[in-house]
Amino acid sequence: MATGVYNQAIGAFQSNSHINNFNHQHKFNYIGRLVVTKDFFSSYGLSKRDLRVSKCIEYQTSVVDSVSSASRSRTSDRDTHKKSNEAALILVRHGESLWNEKNLFTGCVDVPLSKKGIDEAIEAGKRISSIPVDLIFTSALIRAQMTAMLAMTQHRHMKVPIIMHNESEQAREWSQVFCKDTKEHSIPVIAAWQLNERMYGELQGLNKQETAQRYGKEQVHEWRRSYNIPPPNGESLEMCAERAVAYFRDQIEPQLLSGKNVMVSAHGNSLRSIIMYLDKLTSQEVINLELSTGIPMLYIFKEGRFIRRGSPIGPTEAGVYAYTRRLAHYRQRLDDMLQ
């Protein structure tokens, strides 16, 4: 009944001369607001029971609406409107890939997780299962996306991660979520090439040990571990940092400033670059930074500062984060909800 009356009402409003003077977008937005008012239901003889039917009709917006609004703010606006509330930032390097397993240079080649990598992603999810996650950023590469998705299957809040498709207007329209309840139980996942692993150029696909034998261990070590020397036709860590840190500052930091809890699933070098920014490391310090696959790290963003809260000791360790009071309250709410 609710759906039939809803369609009848839309037809009536669209025939109104004032509505016809609006463009299509204005009509859509006006009607979308109208159907959620109490007067609308009473005037058409609908009962409270019919509200359940209309619940999924009234929401015709994308899950990513709230994401894009925060990202549009400029740096000066962010400084002016800082919130005192803290936000959680989780960084996790993807689980072992099939080429990690074979000891091959991977770089920007799009290789999936190995069986061990799948297990690592699930274990990472267990370790962050009581930490709030409102928004996920991944690289454009499948191993980082698999890690994020598998990790979230373990989260106690049981929200569903949904990859946002903004590559075209049609992709955005076709991937919209129209139900409020579904939207509230979803987590937007934004994939960005800027978070990709550094591009290893002519080393991609080569066996690391054989490459060291061919070019010499010192040369390969310089390509892999120096800050500003790239491999042949590839990226240096410095070049990777330029794109990764710029994206973090422009797209991710505004979300933290708005109070959203963010997880970033990416790669060894893009995450090293971001950690260099967060911890204010020197170029010499960052080249000595090692990140294990599938091990999450927690930062708290509060009053414009990033505070490292710890990470598990190793892949087989249970690990306990130093919870803040806010995170402890969140965990208690999960305990109460799931009892």
Side-chain angles (χ1 to χ4, degrees), residues 202-229:
E202 295 176 15
L203 301 186
Q204 291 184 169
L206 299 182
N207 181 277
K208 294 177 182 178
Q209 185 175 350
E210 293 174 359
T211 304
Q213 293 171 353
R214 178 180 176 183
Y215 293 100
K217 290 184 179 180
E218 290 185 4
Q219 177 63 77
V220 173
H221 181 78
E222 184 176 58
W223 285 335
R224 294 185 65 191
R225 292 305 180 201
S226 64
Y227 182 68
N228 56 6
I229 300 176

Side-chain angles (χ1 to χ4, degrees), residues 91-93 195-198 200 221-228 235-238 240-242 244-245 264 266-292 297 299 308:
L91 305 179
V92 59
R93 183 186 174 192
L195 299 175
N196 283 6
E197 179 59 285
R198 63 185 278 208
Y200 270 98
H221 181 78
E222 184 176 58
W223 285 335
R224 294 185 65 191
R225 292 305 180 201
S226 64
Y227 182 68
N228 56 6
E235 281 186 309
S236 65
L237 178 57
E238 182 179 32
C240 177
E242 286 178 2
V245 173
V264 179
H267 306 265
N269 285 294
S270 55
L271 288 176
R272 287 164 73 203
S273 302
I274 291 171
I275 292 171
M276 181 182 182
Y277 168 69
L278 300 180
D279 292 349
K280 297 179 172 55
L281 302 180
T282 66
S283 58
Q284 186 60 43
E285 288 171 329
V286 74
I287 63 175
N288 294 319
L289 178 63
E290 295 288 345
L291 301 179
S292 299
M297 292 170 289
Y299 284 81
R308 184 196 285 262

Side-chain angles (χ1 to χ4, degrees), residues 35-52:
V35 298
V36 300
T37 63
K38 293 181 180 179
D39 291 341
F40 172 82
F41 285 96
S42 60
S43 63
Y44 281 90
L46 296 176
S47 65
K48 291 182 179 179
R49 181 179 57 190
D50 296 317
L51 286 170
R52 293 195 300 271

